[in-house]
Amino acid sequence: MKVLSNASNYGLRALLYIVSRKKQGDAYVSLREISEELDISFHFLTKTMQLLTQGDVLVSYRGPNGGIALKRPAEEIMLIEVVKILEGHDFFDTCMLGLEGCDDCNPCPVHHLWKEIKGKVKHDFATTSLAMMGQRIVSENLRLVP
Amino acid sequence: MKVLSNASNYGLRALLYIVSRKKQGDAYVSLREISEELDISFHFLTKTMQLLTQGDVLVSYRGPNGGIALKRPAEEIMLIEVVKILEGHDFFDTCMLGLEGCDDCNPCPVHHLWKEIKGKVKHDFATTSLAMMGQRIVSENLRLVP
DNA sequence: CCGATTTAAGACTATTTTATCTTATTTAAT
DNA sequence: ATTAAATAAGATAAAATAGTCTTAAATCGG
Ligand code: SF4
Ligand code: SF4
């Protein structure tokens, strides 16, 4: 049951790496460091981070000591925003059987079941911030790599 | 948020079509009829149904008036069985960030969140039978096509 | 038996996703 | 100025998914 594309997977892990990184104080974190620490293809990660930069989640800076940084406080960036940028803005509104033009009045057989699940997923992603995750990663020493 | 492959999508819809079909009494339902009624590629559907036949959910019969039929009562076939055959038997045990070797003691940051969602999805699919869906389709006149 | 019907099986093509590679641009330090 | 460090951008390749087409095998009806 794969719900996130690799791009979202990498994107989320990269952001969580930034907010939970041991070595703080740097203005920017380099993509090379992230790709090595998280064992993600450097070039693929680059493209993913570009989307987040264009999507107003990150700022980037070129040149020596450059890299990426959160554009806004980690408290204000919810997981849902990241996923929407990387998967498309209708990601949380699609459906299980992929039929078209449906609503609660014109449902397919699994609609009631799916609506609940979808609602929970969307709610969870909408109420979880990078900051919350980051704190838990540090305090519970959670991992971001296999 | 696409959770099911097209094969599962088509497979579930085809089975639900069979159990809720207006014209009852036929021993077998032809794949041609299903593909036309549900607007699914005939050849693709054929391959999918073959998997379900091999997977003990369907029986098939060749020749005129042939087709496919449920191998067991619709009450005994849960959605989870169908999806497992078409997606792989570990479908409901995979995870969001795709890391390896994790369990509750060695989790990634989204594990607690994902575990709940995954549990609900698995439970829903495990407790919903084709018969239950079929009854609802008929009584509430639900649709299987766009 | 013969021909039509229908699933089975596998080869083939197309599309999307994922990954890699190459070149360009920006910036800092010397 | 020159060089090295770093992201940006786009071309290319590989892999996975989705869909199409062809041929084979089984079955029925006449
Ligand atoms: S009715 Fe609901 S679950 Fe079914 S296809 Fe439409 S949105 Fe998806
Ligand atoms: S800890 Fe849980 S959610 Fe995270 S990668 Fe492992 S199984 Fe998936």
Side-chain angles (χ1 to χ4, degrees):
Chain A
M1 175 158 63
K2 181 172 182 173
V3 309
L4 298 180
S5 69
N6 286 12
S8 294
N9 180 327
Y10 300 162
L12 284 175
R13 282 165 60 206
L15 291 173
L16 293 175
Y17 175 77
I18 293 173
V19 299
S20 65
R21 197 166 86 111
K22 301 271 194 311
K23 181 185 172 193
Q24 292 293 347
D26 298 0
Y28 297 98
V29 184
S30 87
L31 292 175
R32 181 66 64 184
E33 174 186 338
I34 299 175
S35 84
E36 281 172 3
E37 289 294 325
L38 300 186
D39 198 27
I40 296 170
S41 150
F42 171 75
H43 288 99
F44 197 102
L45 181 64
T46 291
K47 289 200 297 187
T48 303
M49 295 298 106
Q50 278 171 34
L51 288 173
L52 293 178
T53 303
Q54 292 158 7
D56 233 36
V57 165
L58 295 172
V59 289
S60 66
Y61 200 80
R62 295 199 253 202
N65 306 316
I68 57 176
L70 296 188
K71 186 166 187 179
R72 288 172 283 134
E75 288 75 18
E76 295 175 14
I77 302 175
M78 301 294 164
L79 300 189
I80 194 172
E81 181 177 357
V82 178
V83 173
K84 278 188 172 185
I85 290 169
L86 297 177
E87 302 276 353
H89 286 271
D90 60 350
F91 181 72
F92 292 94
D93 299 310
T94 56
C95 65
M96 193 147 79
L97 293 186
L99 307 182
E100 279 162 33
C102 18
D103 49 41
D104 292 348
C105 299
N106 192 26
C108 81
V110 298
H111 183 77
H112 70 296
L113 187 155
W114 180 239
K115 187 181 178 184
E116 260 192 72
I117 293 169
K118 185 167 68 174
K120 173 163 178 52
V121 173
K122 188 171 185 176
H123 175 265
D124 286 350
F125 276 75
T127 55
T128 306
S129 70
L130 291 183
M132 291 160 63
M133 289 274 97
Q135 281 173 8
R136 282 178 28 104
I137 292 170
V138 171
S139 66
E140 300 176 31
N141 196 29
L142 304 180
R143 74 221 183 91
L144 288 167
V145 283
Chain B
M1 175 158 64
K2 180 172 181 170
V3 309
L4 297 181
S5 68
N6 286 15
S8 295
N9 180 327
Y10 300 161
L12 285 175
R13 283 165 60 206
L15 291 173
L16 294 176
Y17 174 77
I18 293 173
V19 298
S20 66
R21 196 167 86 114
K22 302 271 195 309
K23 180 183 171 194
Q24 292 291 348
D26 298 0
Y28 297 98
V29 184
S30 88
L31 293 174
R32 182 65 64 182
E33 173 186 337
I34 299 175
S35 83
E36 282 173 2
E37 288 296 324
L38 299 186
D39 199 26
I40 297 170
S41 150
F42 171 75
H43 288 100
F44 198 113
L45 181 64
T46 290
K47 289 200 296 190
T48 303
M49 294 297 104
Q50 278 171 34
L51 288 173
L52 293 178
T53 302
Q54 291 158 8
D56 233 35
V57 166
L58 293 174
V59 288
S60 66
Y61 201 81
R62 294 198 252 201
N65 305 316
I68 57 176
L70 296 187
K71 186 166 186 177
R72 288 172 282 133
E75 287 75 19
E76 295 176 15
I77 302 174
M78 301 295 164
L79 301 189
I80 195 173
E81 182 177 356
V82 178
V83 173
K84 278 189 172 183
I85 291 169
L86 297 177
E87 301 277 352
H89 287 271
D90 60 350
F91 181 71
F92 292 95
D93 300 310
T94 57
C95 66
M96 192 145 79
L97 292 187
L99 308 181
E100 279 161 34
C102 19
D103 49 41
D104 293 348
C105 299
N106 191 27
C108 81
V110 298
H111 183 77
H112 70 297
L113 188 154
W114 180 240
K115 186 181 178 184
E116 260 192 73
I117 293 169
K118 185 167 66 175
K120 171 163 179 52
V121 173
K122 188 170 185 175
H123 174 266
D124 285 351
F125 276 75
T127 55
T128 306
S129 69
L130 291 184
M132 291 159 64
M133 289 275 97
Q135 280 172 9
R136 282 179 28 102
I137 291 170
V138 172
S139 68
E140 300 177 32
N141 196 29
L142 304 179
R143 73 221 182 92
L144 290 166
V145 284

